[in-house]
Amino acid sequence: MRDFYGTTLDCMLMLGTAQYPSPHVLADAFKRSAASVATVSLRRESGRDRAGQDFWHLIRDLGVHLLPNTAGCHTVKEAVTTAHMAREVFNTKWIKLEVIGEEDTLQPDVFGLVEAARILSEDGFQVFPYTTEDLVVADKLLHAGCEVLMPWGAPIGSGLGLNNLFGLRTMRAHFPDITLVIDAGLGLPSHAAQAMELGFDAVLLNTAVAKAGDPAAMALAFATAIQAGHLAAAAGPMCPRDMATPSTPVIGKAFLK
Amino acid sequence: MKLLLNGASMDVQVGTLEALLTTQGLGDAKVATAVNGAFVPANFRGAYLLSDGDSVEILAPMQGG
């Protein structure tokens, strides 16, 4: 089992905390799935409703690792400043680094991402960059100081699954010793199982669970699929082939024509 | 003095960032602060003097994916 900046995870599910019908349902999803990591964010706080303080108490009581994000940041400066604010509030070096470059797909601005990753790594952050499956970008992120890479499965919130199987398979093969997490775009537990079967080390998702009819049950389904995919990858999947081969032995078959 | 607090214009009679947080009912809150786009760590708030026209952001934990 690979580690995440020196931390090993009991469950390879990283679960987002947004869009749940209620805080109770959110907590139940974490409890049922035993997800090891919760992604969180920062937003403006008002002294009138102090909504962030209630949320802080909720996530603190989950007893999981917190992975703050820089969601919504479109520039290096925004992302770096947000990361510093998140480090202070959540008391963690971990940062899920997002530098968004395009609104329709929320595709990362990989140029800004690499620059922000370098700045934050040099400042002691442990960066989890939300990136694409581009190998050149991945290599630059590693040189910038990242020890974990998080390529997208599909655009955030789309539920499309693994859009570029070739690219993701190639990435896994090209970086056999790097911790790789599929982040975003998954819609079904089978997508998560597929990611793990490809040899990825964890899966990060939010919408597919939060927007399910029964989020807690769906969280459990994802956690179970991730475990199955992980076991399958470790067991050594067979090589696919185009033509059929009989599984029942031919030798000894009766002549009955 | 006039400030832009979390995007809203307001008149305040405070000197430091820490005093502003107290008047906003967030003196004890789990928040992070930035002034004019630059992060101001919690232990600097008491000495950070605000100026007319400053833009202050007060951020707290929130749901995220």
Side-chain angles (χ1 to χ4, degrees):
Chain A
M1 186 176 291
R2 246 181 284 263
D3 72 273
F4 300 76
Y5 292 100
T7 299
T8 53
L9 302 178
D10 294 331
C11 172
M12 290 153 282
L13 172 61
M14 300 179 173
L15 194 54
T17 56
Q19 306 183 83
Y20 290 82
S22 72
H24 174 75
V25 173
L26 186 164
D28 203 26
F30 274 86
K31 187 177 176 186
R32 291 279 300 279
S33 66
S36 293
V37 175
T39 55
V40 291
S41 196
L42 287 174
R43 286 295 181 268
R44 288 169 168 170
E45 181 74 322
S46 156
R48 198 173 306 130
D49 54 25
R50 294 170 62 97
Q53 308 311 300
D54 292 339
F55 179 66
W56 167 247
H57 294 130
L58 173 71
I59 56 166
R60 189 189 56 189
D61 292 345
L62 293 177
V64 299
H65 299 282
L66 298 182
L67 178 57
N69 68 28
T70 63
C73 292
H74 287 72
T75 68
V76 172
K77 181 177 182 298
E78 269 186 303
V80 168
T81 302
T82 302
H84 278 98
M85 298 174 85
R87 181 166 64 177
E88 182 177 87
V89 166
F90 296 107
N91 193 29
T92 177
K93 294 178 181 176
W94 284 11
I95 189 74
K96 181 190 171 192
L97 182 60
E98 297 182 34
V99 183
I100 299 301
E102 203 280 315
E103 277 302 319
D104 282 339
T105 60
L106 297 179
Q107 182 168 341
D109 167 4
V110 294
F111 305 98
L113 183 70
V114 170
E115 185 181 347
R118 180 186 56 74
I119 293 168
L120 292 171
S121 296
E122 288 175 355
D123 200 19
F125 283 86
Q126 296 172 333
V127 179
F128 293 64
Y130 166 63
T131 185
T132 69
E133 63 275 20
D134 188 300
L135 298 185
V136 178
V137 172
D139 195 51
K140 290 185 182 300
L141 286 167
L142 295 175
H143 279 95
C146 299
E147 296 179 16
V148 175
L149 301 177
M150 301 210 301
W152 61 351
I156 294 170
S158 67
L160 292 172
L162 304 182
N163 258 0
N164 183 355
L165 273 178
F166 167 78
L168 292 171
R169 194 183 296 124
T170 304
M171 189 178 199
R172 179 69 285 178
H174 192 72
F175 299 106
D177 300 321
I178 301 298
T179 302
L180 299 177
V181 181
I182 292 291
D183 176 13
L186 303 191
L188 291 167
S190 55
H191 299 154
Q194 188 181 26
M196 299 304 291
E197 287 164 2
L198 287 174
F200 283 83
D201 300 297
V203 166
L204 195 163
L205 59 103
N206 189 157
T207 309
V209 166
K211 290 297 187 184
D214 183 341
M218 187 61 82
L220 175 60
F222 266 99
T224 306
I226 287 167
Q227 178 68 8
H230 175 64
L231 288 171
M238 65 168 282
C239 295
R241 51 183 295 158
D242 290 331
M243 298 301 169
T245 57
S247 51
T248 303
V250 176
I251 297 172
K253 180 183 176 298
F255 184 76
L256 301 173
K257 289 181 181 173
Chain B
M1 95 184 122
K2 280 192 183 301
L3 293 179
L4 205 57
L5 177 58
N6 284 349
S9 180
M10 64 185 312
D11 280 306
V12 294
Q13 303 298 322
V14 296
T16 67
L17 182 56
E18 185 174 81
L20 176 67
L21 283 171
T22 301
T23 61
Q24 293 301 307
L26 295 170
D28 62 340
K30 191 81 171 166
V31 292
T33 51
V35 179
N36 300 327
F39 170 53
V40 180
N43 56 345
F44 288 0
R45 288 177 198 152
Y48 194 101
L49 292 172
L50 293 168
S51 301
D52 191 53
D54 277 348
S55 175
V56 180
E57 295 285 343
I58 304 174
L59 306 187
M62 195 56 63
Q63 295 86 349

